[in-house]
Amino acid sequence: MDYLEERLPQNSAPEAGLSGSQSVDRALGLLSLIGREPAEGLPLGEIVSGSGLNKPTTRRLLLALMRAGLVEQEPQTRRYCLGEEAFVLGVLAARRHGLLEIAMDGLRRLSAETQDTSFLTVRRENYAICLHREEGTYPVRTHALQAGDQHPLGVGAGSLAMLAALPDDDVDRVIAANEAVLLARYPGFAPDALRVDIAETRARGFSLNPGRLVASSWGIGRAFRYPDGRVAGALSIAAIDSRMAPSRQAELAVPLAREAERMEALLAEMFVSKRAGRPMAAAVPRSIETGRAAR
Amino acid sequence: MDYLEERLPQNSAPEAGLSGSQSVDRALGLLSLIGREPAEGLPLGEIVSGSGLNKPTTRRLLLALMRAGLVEQEPQTRRYCLGEEAFVLGVLAARRHGLLEIAMDGLRRLSAETQDTSFLTVRRENYAICLHREEGTYPVRTHALQAGDQHPLGVGAGSLAMLAALPDDDVDRVIAANEAVLLARYPGFAPDALRVDIAETRARGFSLNPGRLVASSWGIGRAFRYPDGRVAGALSIAAIDSRMAPSRQAELAVPLAREAERMEALLAEMFVSKRAGRPMAAAVPRSIETGRAAR
DNA sequence: TCCAGATAGTCCATAATATGGACCTTATTC
DNA sequence: GAATAAGGTCCATATTATGGACTATCTGGA
């Protein structure tokens, strides 16, 4: 199937406009595609079918990405994966987009206080990406979620918290976009089930994943927002089911809420110190088969 | 001045080969250029002159980068800076290139033991980039170096340690490439002075920056290598001059060497677990002004 | 309030670039 | 060792990216 279409769907303005940089758009699409398999990398064939491009074009663009160090090709397996330069760029970008740095203290406090593992998750289109996993001290730990892992919005505690924090029409759009993937690869997360989860999350004040992704691995999550109201990310805590009885959920929700509010305060501070207007350029929709945003 | 030429010089194989992806190469060159000003971002004009491209082309490529989220334009100042997506990509790439993650424990130990601030630095072409700064507890701290800061190889303790760890012909090449910048912007780091520093570093076993970048801010550094011998990065410790008398330098050098060796052991482990051949694709030279120059 | 200068951003005919069908090469399987 | 499959490359062609010339917007000075 067509990975990229799956996750960067929208041809909202189909022919709308030629970007004027087809090849760059395509190359960056490949980069994003490769980023989806951070651990293993992807073989050429999968990149070809995943992108919808043909082999020579794909290869040529990959060579360009490799020249820039953003992609590397594992000599043995010939798989393509993110390069060192991508990592360094990320460190540089962290100066402005240092959610992780801002969140680290909070995650440490959460894990220290609760002994369980805590997570920072952000939204990326219709998916949630785990940016950091802060280990707890309790000897039995769940390893259902690692830094770099990606799941559709709604799958997992932090991910669900973010989805529930979106306005209803966004929720509908996201679920519709993910419907195929959810049904095919996430049993237990059918669209209808997600809608129930969202309602419960909103009523309860925090999200709950009762071991639906990995049995016995439960989690609770809470989203936090930028000063302008956009969802910025989510904090979550995971533990084995025996440590997640309803009473403990309520207990854990307190420090979780505290840290989420703290994040919002820190973000507000960041922006106050900088300007008055909109905090960040709004995300521009993108697709590998570009048609620049209508308008 | 022509920034990119300064730092991505080489037309080692001048006409050698048309890349077949001029625009992608150019776009990624812009990305790298913007990465050099992680804090402020760059105005269009500087990107134009810095890249050697013309305005419409630059702008078109920037739009493509913005569509992908790798670059954002600050609405107020209209400056272009690295986008959120660059940050996220970095986190994803950290799975494979997680020098930082590997180094964190060591940095914490160093700062805890010495009470001074410690750093992880990596090489990027002819420059050194500080990836992390781990604060010490001692109340007087130097803030000469922050995560994301970049200086020519040889400028600063970690940076000098890496330069001194290179084979002589690489040293020559790097110093030649940086000569103009060094003379223009780094008084006290003239090529000849650097060569003396390198000799001393090699003799001593660790590098020393006696407050040459920022007065009273001294540092010592030590490089570490990949299993195949390539320089991977450097660890360093910085403090005010009064805490860097020769006797204390020797004292600090011990844990510094220990942690550097530990890094090499960890890197060796990473590769053993993966394959037998070359550890990573060799960096491919790149330049923004592709082929066509002549004429 | 208006103008000068500077910087940001856009248009569009043209030339150069990226495209992709066909082909070659290297591993893996039976 | 022939067959299959995947990785990789060539090159004439048409599509795409280019950049000179133009317009819009902002800044500060009188």
Side-chain angles (χ1 to χ4, degrees):
Chain A
M1 265 285 111
D2 212 294
Y3 255 114
L4 275 177
E5 307 305 298
E6 261 174 31
R7 299 188 48 180
L8 306 175
Q10 88 219 225
N11 296 3
S12 21
E15 330 309 350
L18 269 301
S19 67
S21 319
Q22 188 188 67
S23 61
V24 177
D25 287 331
R26 288 174 165 185
L28 299 179
L30 294 185
L31 191 62
S32 169
L33 180 59
I34 292 171
R36 260 162 232 153
E37 214 55 64
E40 310 297 330
L42 286 172
L44 181 60
E46 260 175 63
I47 302 180
V48 168
S49 65
S51 65
L53 303 175
N54 58 31
K55 205 167 4 144
T57 298
T58 303
R59 168 80 176 151
R60 200 164 1 88
L61 297 177
L62 286 172
L63 284 173
L65 291 168
M66 288 169 69
R67 253 175 272 135
L70 290 173
V71 165
E72 281 169 10
Q73 185 173 25
E74 188 116 12
Q76 261 59 42
T77 63
R78 302 198 153 179
R79 280 163 169 258
Y80 299 83
C81 53
L82 291 181
E84 197 173 356
E85 197 63 18
F87 169 64
V88 173
L89 254 195
V91 174
L92 297 177
R95 274 235 180 137
R96 308 183 64 81
H97 304 281
L99 259 198
L100 206 164
E101 282 167 27
I102 296 180
M104 279 307 298
D105 282 344
L107 291 173
R108 288 206 195 98
R109 272 192 301 271
L110 277 180
S111 288
E113 242 172 275
T114 65
Q115 304 193 53
D116 290 313
T117 303
S118 60
F119 304 86
L120 170 66
T121 310
V122 298
R123 176 186 176 189
R124 190 203 204 188
E125 304 265 322
N126 305 320
Y127 270 60
I129 302 189
C130 171
L131 287 192
H132 187 77
R133 162 195 179 85
E134 181 73 17
E135 297 280 340
T137 55
Y138 193 78
V140 182
R141 301 178 205 168
T142 147
H143 284 259
L145 194 60
Q146 297 191 38
D149 281 351
Q150 311 179 37
H151 296 292
L153 271 183
V155 173
S159 179
L160 174 58
M162 287 191 284
L163 182 59
L166 296 176
D168 284 331
D169 48 345
D170 282 356
V171 170
D172 293 339
R173 211 171 303 127
V174 168
I175 292 186
N178 286 339
E179 184 159 16
V181 196
L182 286 170
L183 292 172
R185 298 192 230 157
Y186 292 90
F189 292 94
D192 293 343
L194 278 189
R195 289 183 195 281
V196 175
D197 288 344
I198 290 169
E200 285 178 2
T201 299
R202 288 175 174 173
R204 196 195 289 119
F206 59 88
S207 66
L208 173 69
N209 167 23
R212 274 228 279 274
L213 194 52
V214 172
S216 295
S217 175
W218 288 43
I220 66 170
R222 195 174 180 296
F224 55 88
R225 298 168 187 274
Y226 289 114
D228 66 352
R230 280 160 41 243
V231 171
L235 300 177
S236 56
I237 303 177
I240 48 165
D241 45 4
S242 63
R243 288 171 66 80
M244 272 288 177
S247 64
R248 185 146 196 271
Q249 290 170 27
E251 252 171 57
L252 291 176
V254 175
L256 191 62
R258 183 196 69 213
E259 295 300 340
E261 275 153 26
R262 194 181 199 113
M263 286 296 295
E264 294 186 340
L266 287 169
L267 289 173
E269 226 171 80
M270 269 183 75
F271 290 125
V272 163
S273 67
K274 258 192 205 151
R275 93 290 298 267
R278 287 179 55 72
M280 287 183 180
V284 185
R286 74 207 120 93
S287 150
I288 205 167
E289 207 70 49
T290 339
R292 58 150 53 168
R295 149 114 55 170
Chain B
M1 271 282 121
D2 210 295
Y3 255 113
L4 275 177
E5 306 304 298
E6 262 173 32
R7 298 190 48 181
L8 307 175
Q10 109 249 179
N11 297 359
S12 23
E15 329 309 352
L18 268 299
S19 65
S21 319
Q22 190 188 67
S23 61
V24 178
D25 287 331
R26 288 174 164 186
L28 298 180
L30 294 185
L31 191 61
S32 169
L33 180 59
I34 291 171
R36 262 165 230 151
E37 214 56 65
E40 310 297 330
L42 286 172
L44 181 60
E46 261 174 63
I47 301 179
V48 168
S49 64
S51 65
L53 303 174
N54 58 33
K55 204 163 12 139
T57 298
T58 303
R59 168 81 176 151
R60 200 162 4 87
L61 297 177
L62 286 172
L63 285 173
L65 292 168
M66 288 168 67
R67 253 175 270 133
L70 291 172
V71 164
E72 281 169 10
Q73 186 173 25
E74 189 115 11
Q76 262 61 41
T77 63
R78 304 200 152 174
R79 280 163 168 258
Y80 298 84
C81 53
L82 291 181
E84 198 172 354
E85 198 63 19
F87 170 64
V88 173
L89 254 196
V91 174
L92 298 177
R95 272 233 182 140
R96 307 184 65 82
H97 305 280
L99 260 198
L100 206 164
E101 281 165 28
I102 295 180
M104 279 307 297
D105 282 345
L107 290 173
R108 288 206 195 99
R109 273 193 301 272
L110 278 180
S111 287
E113 243 171 275
T114 65
Q115 304 193 53
D116 289 313
T117 303
S118 60
F119 304 86
L120 170 67
T121 311
V122 297
R123 177 186 176 189
R124 191 201 202 188
E125 304 265 324
N126 306 319
Y127 270 60
I129 303 189
C130 171
L131 287 192
H132 187 76
R133 162 196 179 84
E134 181 71 18
E135 298 280 341
T137 54
Y138 193 77
V140 182
R141 301 179 205 167
T142 146
H143 284 260
L145 194 60
Q146 298 192 36
D149 281 351
Q150 312 180 36
H151 296 293
L153 271 183
V155 174
S159 180
L160 174 58
M162 286 192 285
L163 182 59
L166 297 176
D168 283 332
D169 49 344
D170 280 357
V171 170
D172 292 339
R173 210 170 305 126
V174 168
I175 292 186
N178 285 338
E179 184 160 16
V181 197
L182 286 171
L183 292 172
R185 298 193 231 157
Y186 292 91
F189 292 94
D192 293 341
L194 279 188
R195 289 184 196 281
V196 175
D197 288 343
I198 290 170
E200 286 177 1
T201 299
R202 288 175 175 172
R204 196 195 287 118
F206 59 88
S207 67
L208 173 69
N209 167 22
R212 274 228 279 275
L213 195 53
V214 172
S216 296
S217 175
W218 289 43
I220 66 169
R222 195 174 179 296
F224 54 89
R225 297 169 188 276
Y226 289 114
D228 66 352
R230 278 159 46 242
V231 171
L235 300 176
S236 55
I237 303 177
I240 47 166
D241 45 4
S242 63
R243 287 172 66 80
M244 273 287 178
S247 64
R248 185 146 195 272
Q249 289 171 26
E251 250 172 58
L252 291 176
V254 176
L256 191 62
R258 183 196 68 213
E259 294 301 340
E261 276 153 26
R262 195 182 199 112
M263 286 296 295
E264 294 187 338
L266 287 170
L267 288 173
E269 224 171 79
M270 268 184 75
F271 289 125
V272 164
S273 68
K274 260 193 204 152
R275 96 288 300 264
R278 286 180 56 70
M280 287 181 181
V284 185
R286 73 206 122 95
S287 153
I288 203 170
E289 200 69 51
T290 352
R292 96 180 330 221
R295 169 158 29 131

